[in-house]
Structures are given as C-alpha cells and as structure tokens.
Amino acid sequence: MTVANEPAGYTATQILLHWVIAALIVLQLILGEDIKPAYRAFSRGTEPAAGDIFNANIHVYVGLAVLVLAIWRFAVRLMVGVPAAPSEESAFLKRIAAAAHFLLYLFIFGMPITGALAWYFNIRAVGEIHELAKPVIIIVVGLHAAAALWQHFFVKSDVLVRMLRPAGRRAP
C-alpha cells in the first residue's frame, strides 16, 4: 500500500535522469583533473593552451548539465514522489538511506555550484571546497552503489530493480 506522494516505483523520467546524472558524474570524476591547467592559467592571468581550454569547457559544460538535470530530477521528485523504503527494512537502515540520499543530492547540486563559482568568478576558497569534495563524493557514490547491490543480492528487495524498470512494468 502506498500513501500520497509514495508511488509504487519510479517513473521512466526519474530512472533516465538517475542514470544520465550518474554517468555524467562518473565522467566528471574521471576527467575532472583536466580543468586544472586552464584554471591555473586563468588564475595567473596567462592564456591557457587551446587543448586545456577545450578540456576545461567539457568539464564546465558537463557540470552545468548535471546541475540542470538535477534541478529537473528534484522537481519531478517533488511532483511525483518516490517509492517508500522496503517495509521489512529497519528504522535504522531507513534513516541511513535517507541520510545517504540527502548527501547525494547535496553533492549533485553542490559540486556544479561550487565548480561554477570557482570557474566563472574565480573564488579560490570555493574552488578548494569543490576539490576537497571530490574524494567524499566518490565514497558516497560508491556506498550508494554498494548499498543498492547489497539490497538486491543479499536482502532480496526490489530497491535496485525499481531503478531499472519504470513502475508498472516489473516482471511478477
């Protein structure tokens, strides 16, 4: 049984946004260092190399895409809701999951915002926060993925499956 704003599963839009944002974040984590040479050159008042500008632009535009998609995803979440945690899950694990999702949203919004402030307004302290957050987001994303796999393979819940197939299209 679901209550208001607690659908049985995710919509196709929510699932698509989840995986596109996840892929873009992984791309950012892999290629993120490519922005540093251009950022250093601009900070020193020198002209970066053309390849450095290209790499920086890719990082900036992908980061802005993550922010736009995150805003869209959060708006859909507010309008449609999200499925409840599995009923058999303990209250403690439900609180952990809620905290983890809060952290994920904090990073999904915070990383692009801090990156944009550092890049466009050359706010060095914000750039340092952006840089220091990188290992933390790696840990949070890794724990999120590990928890989904644990739920699927050991707890045998539908937590992972419902992020793979839209509500109403699950196999019995």
Side-chain angles (χ1 to χ4, degrees), residues 14-35:
Q14 287 172 304
I15 293 169
L16 178 67
L17 288 170
H18 174 273
W19 291 109
V20 170
I21 291 169
L24 292 176
I25 288 172
V26 168
L27 180 69
Q28 289 293 72
L29 292 171
I30 293 169
L31 303 177
E33 301 299 313
D34 291 347
I35 195 171

Side-chain angles (χ1 to χ4, degrees), residues 138-170:
I138 291 170
I139 292 167
V140 171
V141 167
L143 288 173
H144 176 68
L149 293 171
W150 178 73
Q151 282 278 349
H152 184 73
F153 290 110
F154 296 102
V155 177
K156 307 285 189 212
S157 75
D158 70 341
V159 168
L160 178 62
V161 173
R162 66 187 184 189
M163 191 45 81
L164 296 173
R165 284 186 243 150
R169 296 190 58 206
R170 277 188 204 79

Side-chain angles (χ1 to χ4, degrees), residues 93-108 140-141 143-144 147:
L93 286 179
K94 288 177 183 176
R95 284 193 295 274
I96 295 290
H101 283 101
F102 173 80
L103 278 174
L104 285 167
Y105 273 103
L106 181 70
F107 281 105
I108 289 169
V140 171
V141 167
L143 288 173
H144 176 68

Side-chain angles (χ1 to χ4, degrees), residues 11 43 60 131:
T11 67
S43 294
V60 169
E131 184 67 23

